[in-house]
């Protein structure tokens, strides 16, 4: 359906030409699955062509040097030793791999926060139940007054039985940067292994996992490269601290498990080949990094600053249009921002929530159908256990300020219409 005449459809930025995103869609949801630039897709196609030209040679001779090349490029971005990086398909698989390598015992505690990504929380729940361990939840308030509240919630939920903590670097639903630089050393000093879910972090935030004076130095760190590093789908990384790599295994063992390569660490050998799979997405990580470095002054860090500034301004515009208060301070905002929408009275809210939807909320279906606006609408848990309705915007180089003004006007129009339903 055409966009309602009262709202002029906005244009993307001039940089949108580098992506294959449909220009007929106002795409404000880079955070969910990312978007891969045309030049990176072309590089991936070239790798796939080489694989298909002689698959035996590709997997026997080319695989290792190509994977090492990508590890080197990633290590430069996240500041760690290349040999600490294992290729995985997504951050959730990384979380599952870490829990599969843990030895939890009855009575142990697994610490998570109330803002963990549901898939990762499911993995933690499964692992704890299987071992007879307990899940402890650190209740992070939302709206959140600031990083101190997060640190207090996590530390107060830690006990002498806590064995591992799963902490998001950037939360998904609530879109907040958590102060992992304070949480990780505090927990690790207590003997608690920390697994940081950095699904959104690489390409959004400067990282130092283990290569500088201010290194985060967690036990484990997982990150999706296909989100803010704009690599092809199915390319991600798992960081395992040096002293924990011995005996750390992937979820699938190939023949390399019984046939180590001379002179190569088994950790690298097992993770880079878990059986026949298309690793071309991981292999073009250097091309994705080079592309992002070339987009604007300041390279990748300049792009991060640009995206964050756009997200903060977009949040301001939408909050002012809807008459709501930002749910967290700006220091906790990166390239995504979640905005709490004005609440309806309970009866109407229940009726609206019961509407069928292909997505999370029927309002999202309507925004796509009527406004060609791709922006998630969902709910997060309130401090009292209730449900807060919100939307989340993302900012990438292909977006433009007028797209967020358009989103604000569309939301305001449809929220007002809902009050008559």
């Amino acid at each position: 359906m055409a966009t309602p005449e009262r709202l002029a459809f906005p244009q993307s930025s001039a940089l949108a030409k580098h992506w294959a995103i449909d220009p007929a869609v106002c795409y404000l949801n880079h955070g969910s699955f990312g978007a891969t630039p045309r030049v990176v897709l072309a590089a991936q196609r070239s790798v796939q062509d080489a694989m298909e030209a002689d698959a035996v040679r590709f997997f026997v001779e080319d695989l290792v040097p190509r994977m090492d090349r990508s590890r080197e490029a990633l290590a430069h971005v996240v500041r760690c030793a290349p040999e600490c990086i294992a290729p995985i398909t997504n951050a959730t698989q990384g979380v599952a791999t870490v829990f599969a390598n843990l030895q939890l015992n009855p009575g142990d505690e697994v610490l998570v926060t109330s803002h963990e990504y549901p898939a990762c929380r499911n993995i933690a729940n499964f692992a704890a139940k299987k071992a007879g361990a307990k899940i402890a939840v650190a209740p992070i308030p939302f709206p959140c007054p600031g990083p101190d509240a997060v640190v207090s919630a996590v530390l107060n939920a830690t006990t002498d039985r806590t064995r591992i903590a799963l902490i998001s670097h950037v939360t998904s639903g609530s879109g907040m940067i958590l102060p992992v630089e304070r949480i990780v050393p505090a927990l690790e000093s207590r003997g608690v292994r920390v697994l940081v879910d950095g699904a959104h972090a690489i390409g959004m935030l400067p990282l130092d996992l283990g290569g500088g004076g201010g290194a985060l130095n967690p036990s484990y760190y997982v990150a999706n490269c296909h989100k803010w590093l704009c690599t092809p789908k199915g390319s991600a990384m798992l960081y395992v601290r040096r002293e924990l790599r011995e005996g750390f295994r992937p979820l699938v063992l190939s023949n390399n498990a019984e046939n180590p390569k001379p002179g190569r660490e088994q950790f690298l050998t097992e993770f880079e080949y878990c059986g026949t799979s298309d690793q071309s997405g991981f292999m073009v990580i250097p091309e994705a990094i080079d592309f992002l470095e070339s987009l604007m002054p300041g390279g990748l860090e300049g792009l991060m600053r640009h995206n964050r500034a756009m997200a903060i301004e977009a949040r301001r515009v939408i909050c002012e249009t809807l008459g709501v208060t930002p749910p967290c301070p700006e220091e906790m905002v990166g390239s995504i921002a979640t905005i709490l929408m004005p609440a309806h009275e309970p009866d109407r809210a229940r009726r609206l929530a019961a509407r069928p939807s292909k997505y999370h909320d029927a309002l999202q279906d309507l925004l796509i159908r009527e406004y060609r606006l791709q922006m998630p609408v969902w709910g997060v848990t309130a401090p009292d256990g209730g449900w807060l309705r919100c939307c989340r915007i993302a900012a990438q180089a292909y977006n433009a300020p007028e797209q967020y003004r358009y989103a604000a006007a569309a939301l305001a129009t449809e929220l007002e219409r809902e009050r008559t339903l």
Side-chain angles (χ1 to χ4, degrees):
M1 182 177 292
T3 303
E5 293 182 1
R6 63 184 177 277
L7 294 178
F9 189 77
Q11 298 298 308
S12 303
S13 81
L15 294 174
K17 65 184 179 181
H18 296 296
W19 279 267
I21 293 172
D22 185 351
V25 175
C26 180
Y27 198 82
L28 304 183
N29 194 10
H30 185 90
S32 282
F33 299 105
T36 309
R38 299 178 190 275
V39 67
V40 181
L41 291 173
Q44 183 187 29
R45 182 69 258 177
S46 178
V47 173
Q48 291 171 331
D49 287 344
M51 178 170 59
E52 295 304 327
D54 188 339
V56 175
R57 176 177 177 176
F58 184 90
F59 283 102
V60 174
E61 297 187 31
D62 296 346
L63 179 70
V64 168
R66 286 180 182 272
M67 299 300 276
D68 281 348
R69 174 175 173 266
S70 289
R71 282 195 183 91
E72 291 281 352
L74 268 177
H76 179 73
V77 172
V78 303
R79 301 189 68 186
C80 73
E83 59 269 22
C84 291
I85 294 175
I88 52 176
T89 57
N90 54 61
T92 306
Q93 184 195 33
V95 171
T97 304
V98 170
F99 274 97
N101 278 274
L102 293 175
Q103 293 187 348
L104 294 173
N105 298 306
D108 287 347
E109 291 184 357
V110 176
L111 177 62
V112 300
T113 78
S114 55
H115 291 244
E116 295 308 325
Y117 188 62
C120 296
R121 175 66 186 273
N122 289 340
I123 292 166
N125 289 346
F126 178 79
K129 183 177 181 180
K130 185 176 180 180
K134 175 186 175 184
I135 293 286
V137 181
I140 296 176
F142 192 74
C144 183
D148 289 348
V150 178
V151 175
S152 295
V154 171
L155 296 186
N156 289 340
T158 306
T159 73
D160 57 4
R161 296 183 299 278
T162 307
R163 296 294 173 260
I164 185 166
L166 171 62
I167 308 291
S168 289
H169 197 159
V170 182
T171 62
S172 179
S174 51
M176 298 188 298
I177 301 171
L178 301 189
V180 294
E181 72 283 353
R182 295 169 59 186
I183 293 170
V184 170
L187 294 184
E188 293 274 357
S189 67
R190 300 184 184 188
V192 177
R193 300 286 187 209
V194 181
L195 164 56
V196 180
D197 177 4
H200 282 276
I202 185 170
M204 180 192 288
L205 308 171
L207 294 176
D208 185 355
L209 299 185
L216 187 62
N217 204 32
S219 291
Y220 315 99
Y221 193 101
V222 298
N224 286 326
C225 299
H226 63 252
K227 287 182 184 284
W228 297 95
L229 212 54
C230 293
T231 63
K233 310 299 181 288
S235 48
M237 59 160 280
L238 163 62
Y239 164 90
V240 180
R241 202 165 62 208
R242 186 179 301 275
E243 71 271 17
L244 300 175
R245 292 203 308 269
E246 182 68 31
F248 190 95
R249 317 297 292 274
L251 294 175
V252 177
L253 298 180
S254 73
N255 58 337
N256 285 330
E258 69 215 20
N259 186 27
K261 293 184 178 181
R264 190 164 182 82
E265 188 177 343
Q266 189 66 358
F267 173 81
L268 301 180
T269 297
E270 291 191 1
F271 272 93
E272 66 200 4
Y273 183 76
C274 297
T276 307
S277 60
D278 185 352
Q279 294 273 29
S280 59
F282 190 85
M283 290 175 179
V284 297
I285 286 173
E287 283 77 9
I289 294 171
D290 288 346
F291 169 77
L292 295 182
E293 289 279 5
S294 72
L295 267 184
M296 56 186 59
L300 179 56
E301 291 197 2
L303 176 62
M304 293 179 193
R305 291 192 294 270
H306 169 273
N307 290 345
R308 178 174 184 269
M310 186 159 52
I312 289 173
E313 175 61 14
R315 185 179 78 152
R316 183 193 66 78
V317 167
I318 296 174
C319 284
E320 288 185 357
T321 301
L322 301 184
V324 296
T325 302
C328 68
E330 287 187 3
E331 65 183 300
M332 299 181 76
V333 177
S335 302
I336 57 174
T338 293
I339 297 148
L340 294 175
M341 295 189 292
H344 293 296
E345 59 270 26
D347 286 346
R348 177 172 288 115
R350 280 191 290 270
R351 291 199 305 274
L352 294 173
R355 295 179 297 176
S357 171
K358 297 177 182 178
Y359 295 87
H360 301 88
D361 188 302
L363 175 57
Q364 183 173 350
D365 299 58
L366 186 149
L367 293 174
I368 294 169
R369 183 178 67 251
E370 301 287 345
Y371 296 89
R372 291 176 282 154
L373 173 59
Q374 186 63 265
M375 178 180 64
V377 177
W378 49 35
V380 294
T381 304
D384 61 2
W387 199 241
L388 299 174
R389 196 180 188 205
C390 59
C391 63
R392 193 189 73 185
I393 52 99
Q396 184 50 276
Y398 54 75
N399 291 125
E402 52 265 34
Q403 291 181 309
Y404 304 103
R405 292 191 287 270
Y406 176 78
L411 282 170
T413 298
E414 294 306 324
L415 290 172
E416 182 64 30
R417 180 182 296 173
E418 285 184 346
R419 294 187 181 95
T420 67
L421 301 178

